[in-house]
Amino acid sequence: MPRIELRTEINAGKEIVFDLSRSIDLHKISTEHTNETAIAGKTSGLIGMDEWVTWRAKHFGIYQKLTSKITKFERPNLFVDEMVEGAFKGFRHEHHFEDLNGGTLMTDYFEYESPFGILGKLADKLFLLNYMTDLLAERNKIVKDFAETDKWKKIVA
C-alpha cells in the first residue's frame, strides 16, 4: 500500500490552517483542473466529524465519483478522512497540524490501495503515486497561499 508523506510549513496560525484544510470550498479551488465538485453530503463549508462528501472529478480522462468520511477529528491538531466508496480499494488521509516558529507545520499522511491487483500495483509505480503526490502538493500550495494572505477570510470567516 503506497504511503505519501508531505510536510508544509505555513506562516499562519494552526486554527486557520486546520479550517482551510477541511474546507469543501477551498478543496474545490485546489482541484479546479480536475473539474472536481461536491455532489452529495457536505457540499460546502467546513466538514466535521462523521460528515461525508461525494466528489465528482475527471481523472485520466474519465469522470469518477468518490465518497469520503471524517473518521477522526481533534480540532485544531488532527483530522482523518477515509474513502467510503470510490475508485480505490481504500484510502486513509491523516491531516496533522503542529505549532512551528509562530506558524504551522501541516503534515499529510496519505495511504491508498489501488484496485485491479497486480495491474494496480504496476499503475502505482508507473504513474499513480506521482499523480496523487502532485494532487496533494497542489492542494497544500493553495492552503498555504490562502492561509498566508487575507484570502482565508473568504473561506473561514
Side-chain angles (χ1 to χ4, degrees):
M1 181 180 294
R3 177 179 166 98
I4 299 166
E5 182 176 327
L6 294 176
R7 296 182 188 280
T8 307
E9 293 183 21
I10 301 175
N11 189 23
K14 187 165 57 170
E15 290 80 7
I16 292 169
V17 177
F18 182 91
D19 285 345
L20 286 172
S21 295
R22 66 189 183 103
S23 168
I24 300 292
D25 303 306
L26 190 65
H27 184 90
K28 291 175 193 174
I29 293 167
S30 73
T31 57
E32 285 177 343
H33 61 286
T34 65
N35 296 319
E36 195 152 344
T37 187
I39 60 170
K42 182 80 172 177
T43 58
S44 65
L46 303 179
I47 196 164
M49 183 66 190
D50 291 327
E51 292 184 312
W52 59 274
V53 58
T54 298
W55 296 100
R56 181 175 184 269
K58 191 173 192 178
H59 298 282
F60 309 111
I62 301 166
Y63 276 99
Q64 302 173 34
K65 291 182 187 176
L66 184 140
T67 301
S68 64
K69 180 179 180 179
I70 303 297
T71 58
K72 190 168 187 177
F73 190 87
E74 299 170 7
R75 186 176 195 276
N77 301 309
L78 165 74
F79 72 92
V80 176
D81 61 285
E82 297 185 63
M83 189 191 85
V84 175
E85 192 174 330
F88 293 102
K89 270 187 151 177
F91 80 60
R92 177 180 170 88
H93 187 177
E94 296 181 15
H95 309 255
H96 295 261
F97 307 87
E98 301 172 53
D99 292 318
L100 179 70
N101 301 324
T104 303
L105 175 62
M106 180 174 69
T107 305
D108 292 274
Y109 300 100
F110 185 83
E111 295 180 324
Y112 69 93
E113 187 173 357
S114 298
F116 310 123
I118 192 83
L119 292 176
K121 290 180 185 190
L122 182 61
D124 289 338
K125 290 185 187 317
L126 292 177
F127 62 88
L128 191 55
L129 181 59
N130 286 337
Y131 182 81
M132 295 306 299
T133 301
D134 289 347
L135 273 179
L136 292 172
E138 178 62 22
R139 175 193 156 278
N140 289 358
K141 183 176 133 192
I142 300 294
V143 169
K144 180 177 174 72
D145 176 53
F146 273 68
E148 292 182 343
T149 65
D150 283 343
K151 292 179 188 177
W152 69 268
K153 294 176 182 176
K154 297 175 187 171
I155 302 295
V156 297

